[in-house]
Amino acid sequence: QENPDAFLDLLKEPIGADGARPPAGPPEAAGGSQGVSLTEQESESITRLEALGFDRQMVLEAFLACERNEEMAANFLFDSMT
C-alpha cells in the first residue's frame, strides 16, 4: 500500500518457475506461454473483475497477487487507477 506503482512494476516483470527471467521477447519465443489453473469459482471471479472494465491480463495479475481474493483484487485494481 505504500508504493502501488512499484508493486505494479513487480507484477509486470516476468519470472520463470525457477526464479530466473525468461529470454526477452514474446512468450512464444521462450517456448510457449505459461498457464494458470483456475477453479470454476475463480474463473467466475475473473469474469466479474473484467466486467468492471479492467483488461484480462491486469485482472489475472491482480487476482493472483492478492492470493486469489476477488475483493482484494478489485480494491487493488481500483487503487491502481489513481
Side-chain angles (χ1 to χ4, degrees):
Q1 288 184 355
E2 293 178 14
N3 194 343
D5 292 332
F7 182 64
L8 280 175
D9 290 341
L10 285 174
L11 286 177
K12 293 176 185 175
E13 291 182 13
I15 302 293
D18 59 357
R21 293 183 189 273
E28 297 78 26
S33 62
Q34 292 181 343
V36 176
S37 296
L38 298 172
T39 65
E40 185 175 336
Q41 184 179 11
E42 291 169 339
S43 293
E44 291 170 359
S45 292
I46 297 297
T47 301
R48 285 190 293 270
L49 291 167
E50 286 179 293
L52 296 174
F54 299 101
D55 68 56
R56 184 169 183 82
Q57 184 64 35
M58 189 169 197
V59 166
L60 285 169
E61 290 174 0
F63 188 70
L64 295 174
C66 293
E67 299 179 1
R68 299 177 187 234
N69 181 303
E70 181 178 355
E71 185 176 340
M72 287 176 56
N75 287 334
F76 175 80
L77 289 164
F78 283 120
D79 286 347
S80 70
M81 292 176 59
T82 59

